[in-house]
Amino acid sequence: LILDLEVAVVLLVASGIATAALYPDAMQGWFRPDPPDAQAYNIYSSFFNYSISKDKIVEFEGYELGEAGLMLAPGRTGVLTFALARPGGSLVLLRPNFYNKTFLNKMSQISNFSELYFYNKIELSLDGGTTYVQVVENESFGQVFRDININLTPYLNESRDYRLRFWASNPNTVHVLVLPLITVSVIVDPYGYPGESFPIVIYAMIISAGLFSIADAVWRMPRNRDYICPFLLTMGITGLVFIGVKNLPWSSIDYESSVIKIQLLCARVICLSVCVGIILIRIFAKTHRTLFTVRYLCLLSGVATAIAIEYRWRLLYERKYDFLFPDAQGYLQIARSFSDKMQSRGGSQTLSVFAELYHAGFDGRTSYLSVFFFGNHNGREPLWPAMLDIIGSWIGYSAFHTRLTSLILGALVVGFTLIVGSRTVHVGVGIIAGLLVIMNEPHMLNNIQGLREELVTVLLMSLVVIVWNVNGVAAVIRRAPTSVGSILEMRLAHLWPFAGVTLPRWRVAGAALACAGIILTRADMVVMVAVILGTLAIAYRWGWRTWLPMGATIFILVAPMYLGYWFTHGDPFWPGTYGATVNRNLEFPDRMGTPGFPSAAEYAANWAAGPLISPFTYFFGYHSGAQFISYSVTGFERIFREILFPDQPIILASFWVGLGLTIVTRRWVVPWGIAVGLFPFYAFMAGVPSAWVFPGRYAHQILPFAAMAVAYAWVGPPLIVWHWLSGRRALPPATPSLRGDVALAQG
């Protein structure tokens, strides 16, 4: 197995390098870091939920702050002007949410809706606001209309400083929504962004692995076989295939992008054909007792991951110049700061021990682990920025590499979905669920944002792979005491949770690392991790030799993070405190200026303004028990209807049917994964009657389990009928014989 792995790694690397040589633009942007000030000229300005950041705003008249963005009262005219800059020769792209008409949103009733038009203009000034040039007039842009980039570069000529003005006038008799948000992306280095053909490299790697498996099976070498012939044959065939794909006559096609798309289609078809060939060889050669052994299940998941990368890469290529969201920019800046903090430990220190250390001659130099746990990181958890730092130190710090990291992790979610679904439910469920995750649009959009949710999902699915369905459970349950008397007769050391299943050390270590990784990525998931381990320990009857070292390892790995928050913020649970304070302000903006809440000006400038509160206070101090239950039930339903499967009624109905079937047929991994991933707090926040408390990406960690439920709704009924009929054929009911005795059926 180790030799197979070594050969596979060499083969994958060799085929990837060879294909990248055939497609030079495939690796465009790789190993090309952003200039230090690449993000300094971008701007993301949002106005929803009565909030405004006045940075770079030089003129603000007429508009009113509203829940969904800037509003205009009847008969009013609004002017909003930004003073912006750019480096010489750079591209400037504007993506506005800017309207000239009303629209029907999900909260409106059709009977109460009437489409109203008003006037708007986007203008540019190159002389400090003396004169303006019109860019567009009386148009609507944004996610509900046309979500496009407007290229401002032709209007700027050689100017580096400019003003961008949003003008609107409302002649109607009602308030209208005009401007929720804008983003301006300044492209300093166009060659630092990705090319279109990179997925061909991934397909070549997967095809080479599949061809090697076919060649290895056909050769039928003895146990100590030689890998040279299959290896050379695989490389030769892969090279010929992709040279042919690249050099087919494409002269009849006018656009280079269309050529790449057709080449990607050819690569995808070849990849799927090789996969089918492997399955057929394993069926007819009968070299394994089961078709989907670990080796070939991993190969299938690799194919699914490659297809997922292609779909996400296509979306990334279309939006490669989009503004990197502020959260993602913050993580990138934290990653850049790791090396500086190792040279000079800075940041806010609330404990006198740091002052005493510096007074005693401490020069500020420290280790990577010290920065990881005690580096402040603007109050963020350390694992995701540390991963970006490791990747950035290897291939360069850039917005593209940040997106690339989350994109690859998002594609790995597809592979894990296929593996977990196949191993815990059914092969058909795993394959269909993987395809559903590949095509899930909200998941694809989040995968290219450079955020941390994909890492959480990968760690959660890794945990399931490591610990689910471990042998030995049934034997422990059979030995469990059945009455109070028998419990009293047994010694304490023989009772669960002291006596029970002992997992292999690698499982214990892997599960502990996965759980610690989840907490170090999102500190508020410590409750979820506790629920996960508690339910697994009860279900599988883990003995103390399993749960004690696992819990101790998790504590050792995550406790320094909480200690670091105590050192830098004076609060060991700072992320939870900060998040609870923000959620309170977002949920109750109508209480601005009242005791316990920030003023309107403080809140407009900072969502976390006002007295700090704990998560417990937010959940149970600002809400009654009935509200907590009601919001949780409402949020649970909303997550699937609006976030994971929006505008997909057939998929949504299949999910509810499949979830019920998994409970009835005791396929517990699906309802368990959904329950521990959403309850008690994520479902509650999704049900809070405020659109801003719960970002949809917070629910993506349960998408693989939801996709398995949908797949089981399609695969489960035929399987149930088949097993029922098989059971009837194997064990028919007993019937009396002619002699009066009972004839026993032989199954």
Side-chain angles (χ1 to χ4, degrees):
L1 182 61
I2 294 176
L3 188 58
D4 285 350
L5 182 61
E6 292 174 351
V7 173
V9 170
V10 173
L11 186 62
L12 291 175
V13 172
S15 59
I17 293 174
T19 309
L22 289 173
Y23 292 85
D25 66 326
M27 306 305 293
Q28 179 179 302
W30 290 66
F31 303 97
R32 193 180 184 102
D34 279 346
D37 60 348
Q39 303 294 322
Y41 301 96
N42 297 333
I43 179 174
Y44 174 89
S45 190
S46 63
F47 310 100
F48 41 72
N49 204 43
Y50 308 98
S51 178
I52 184 173
S53 175
K54 295 188 177 180
D55 181 37
K56 300 181 181 179
I57 294 178
V58 294
E59 188 178 13
F60 183 80
E61 297 178 359
Y63 291 113
E64 300 175 4
L65 293 176
E67 184 177 9
L70 295 183
M71 310 284 293
L72 267 182
R76 295 296 301 273
T77 297
V79 178
L80 173 64
T81 306
F82 294 89
L84 304 175
R86 64 156 185 163
S90 59
L91 305 176
V92 180
L93 303 176
L94 168 66
R95 185 183 289 271
N97 279 251
F98 189 44
Y99 310 139
N100 81 317
K101 61 181 178 180
T102 58
F103 58 92
L104 181 67
N105 57 42
K106 293 183 178 180
M107 303 302 293
S108 303
Q109 298 294 328
I110 297 179
S111 58
N112 298 330
F113 172 72
S114 59
E115 189 174 53
L116 301 175
Y117 284 83
F118 46 96
Y119 308 108
N120 70 352
K121 289 188 292 186
I122 300 177
E123 301 172 306
L124 272 176
S125 174
L126 307 182
D127 54 10
T130 303
T131 60
Y132 281 89
V133 176
Q134 182 174 294
V135 178
V136 294
E137 181 181 17
N138 296 333
E139 294 282 351
S140 286
F141 301 97
Q143 297 173 356
V144 296
F145 294 107
R146 292 183 295 160
D147 192 16
I148 61 173
N149 276 319
I150 301 173
N151 188 1
L152 301 181
T153 311
Y155 300 91
L156 296 175
N157 300 322
E158 301 299 325
S159 299
R160 298 196 176 194
D161 298 313
Y162 61 99
R163 292 198 175 190
L164 181 63
R165 183 165 74 179
F166 297 86
W167 178 94
S169 179
N170 179 20
N172 300 291
T173 58
V174 296
H175 280 73
V176 293
L177 173 64
V178 180
L179 184 62
L181 63 90
I182 68 157
T183 60
V184 177
S185 304
V186 178
I187 313 305
V188 179
D189 179 16
Y191 292 101
Y193 291 82
E196 190 176 6
S197 58
F198 171 71
I200 295 180
V201 176
I202 303 298
Y203 279 129
M205 298 170 69
I206 300 300
I207 289 172
S208 65
L211 289 175
F212 177 78
S213 298
I214 293 176
D216 183 45
V218 172
W219 239 258
R220 298 187 182 185
M221 294 182 179
R223 188 167 187 176
N224 297 321
R225 56 186 177 270
D226 181 12
Y227 287 94
I228 295 178
C229 292
F231 185 91
L232 295 177
L233 179 65
T234 298
M235 288 301 299
I237 294 177
T238 306
L240 290 174
V241 166
F242 281 93
I243 289 174
V245 169
K246 182 174 177 58
N247 294 296
L248 284 174
W250 307 109
S251 57
S252 61
I253 301 175
D254 297 331
Y255 301 100
E256 181 181 354
S257 179
S258 299
V259 172
I260 294 297
K261 289 178 181 177
I262 295 177
Q263 291 175 342
L264 281 168
L265 176 62
C266 293
R268 191 190 320 143
V269 171
I270 295 169
C271 186
L272 293 173
S273 301
V274 170
C275 183
V276 172
I278 294 170
I279 294 174
L280 293 176
I281 286 176
R282 290 302 168 183
I283 289 176
F284 292 109
K286 298 180 180 179
T287 55
H288 289 269
R289 300 184 72 182
T290 58
L291 172 61
F292 293 97
T293 59
V294 173
R295 177 176 175 181
Y296 299 102
L297 186 60
C298 290
L299 189 60
L300 285 178
S301 68
V303 173
T305 302
I307 297 174
I309 288 176
E310 180 195 348
Y311 278 86
R312 283 145 182 78
W313 192 270
R314 186 185 306 168
L315 188 62
L316 173 62
Y317 182 76
E318 294 172 354
R319 299 176 175 236
K320 60 183 177 181
Y321 293 142
D322 278 13
F323 177 82
L324 191 66
F325 282 168
D327 279 357
Q329 283 198 44
Y331 288 122
L332 181 57
Q333 292 170 0
I334 295 169
R336 288 178 180 271
S337 70
F338 268 69
S339 57
D340 294 336
K341 290 177 180 178
M342 289 175 64
Q343 297 300 318
S344 178
R345 173 66 178 86
S348 60
Q349 293 88 24
T350 59
L351 298 184
S352 60
V353 63
F354 282 100
E356 295 174 3
L357 284 173
Y358 280 101
H359 183 72
F362 175 54
D363 61 0
R365 295 177 180 270
T366 185
S367 66
Y368 195 89
L369 280 179
S370 176
V371 173
F372 183 88
F373 288 113
F374 302 95
N376 188 359
H377 309 313
N378 298 331
R380 296 288 193 175
E381 295 85 347
L383 185 57
W384 177 240
M387 177 176 288
L388 295 180
D389 174 54
I390 294 172
I391 293 173
S393 63
W394 178 42
I395 62 176
Y397 299 93
S398 74
F400 164 52
H401 295 152
T402 301
R403 298 181 191 272
L404 176 65
T405 305
S406 62
L407 182 147
I408 292 176
L409 289 172
L412 288 177
V413 170
V414 174
F416 273 111
T417 302
L418 191 147
I419 291 175
V420 172
S422 299
R423 300 292 287 181
T424 62
V425 184
H426 187 269
V427 170
V429 170
I431 294 175
I432 295 175
L435 292 175
L436 289 171
V437 178
I438 287 175
M439 304 301 296
N440 187 270
E441 187 173 352
H443 191 249
M444 284 196 294
L445 287 171
N446 198 70
N447 290 168
I448 63 171
Q449 303 301 339
L451 299 171
R452 57 186 172 172
E453 280 69 36
E454 287 74 26
L455 177 57
V456 171
T457 310
V458 167
L459 291 170
L460 176 59
M461 300 304 286
S462 301
L463 175 65
V464 174
V465 170
I466 291 170
V467 302
W468 195 267
N469 201 20
V470 180
N471 295 328
V473 181
V476 174
I477 294 176
R478 285 196 299 268
R479 293 196 302 268
T482 57
S483 65
V484 176
S486 59
I487 292 176
L488 296 176
E489 293 174 359
M490 296 181 66
R491 290 185 300 171
L492 186 63
H494 292 165
L495 289 176
W496 182 83
F498 299 99
V501 172
T502 300
L503 297 184
R505 292 180 181 177
W506 73 268
R507 289 184 184 271
V508 173
L513 289 175
C515 291
I518 292 173
I519 299 172
L520 293 172
T521 306
R522 288 194 63 91
D524 57 356
M525 286 189 167
V526 63
V527 176
M528 187 187 82
V529 169
V531 173
I532 288 173
L533 294 183
T535 53
L536 290 176
I538 294 172
Y540 289 140
R541 300 296 195 271
W542 286 348
W544 70 271
R545 290 182 177 85
T546 294
W547 56 259
L548 182 59
M550 191 181 295
T553 304
I554 295 172
F555 178 81
I556 291 171
L557 291 175
V558 304
M561 178 183 71
Y562 294 104
L563 188 62
Y565 288 134
W566 182 38
F567 280 178
T568 56
H569 292 83
D571 180 359
F573 304 103
W574 170 251
T577 300
Y578 179 85
T581 305
V582 170
N583 288 343
R584 176 203 62 195
N585 294 343
L586 292 176
E587 185 178 353
F588 305 106
D590 54 320
R591 301 189 192 180
M592 292 183 295
T594 62
F597 287 83
S599 66
E602 292 172 334
Y603 173 70
N606 179 14
W607 281 1
L612 298 174
I613 61 172
S614 68
F616 186 87
T617 301
Y618 168 67
F619 288 123
F620 304 108
Y622 289 81
H623 307 91
S624 65
Q627 280 182 317
F628 189 88
I629 296 173
S630 174
Y631 289 175
S632 297
V633 174
T634 302
F636 184 80
E637 186 272 337
R638 174 184 169 242
I639 282 172
F640 302 101
R641 174 172 47 84
E642 295 185 8
I643 297 174
L644 297 184
F645 307 122
D647 303 319
Q648 302 177 72
I650 296 177
I651 298 292
L652 182 62
S654 299
F655 164 76
W656 293 114
V657 172
L659 181 61
L661 285 177
T662 57
I663 296 173
V664 171
T665 58
R666 295 180 295 179
R667 307 288 184 175
W668 294 119
V669 67
V670 174
W672 171 85
I674 293 173
V676 300
L678 294 183
F679 289 115
F681 302 118
Y682 284 102
F684 164 81
M685 290 190 295
V688 167
S690 171
W692 317 115
V693 170
F694 187 78
R697 65 180 187 268
Y698 286 0
H700 283 183
Q701 71 267 10
I702 58 103
L703 176 61
F705 303 103
M708 291 179 209
V710 175
Y712 197 68
W714 303 341
V715 175
L719 286 176
I720 294 170
V721 172
W722 172 258
H723 286 301
W724 180 74
L725 292 176
S726 299
R728 286 181 62 96
R729 287 198 301 268
L731 195 63
T735 56
S737 67
L738 295 177
R739 295 179 298 176
D741 57 351
V742 177
L744 299 179
Q746 300 297 321

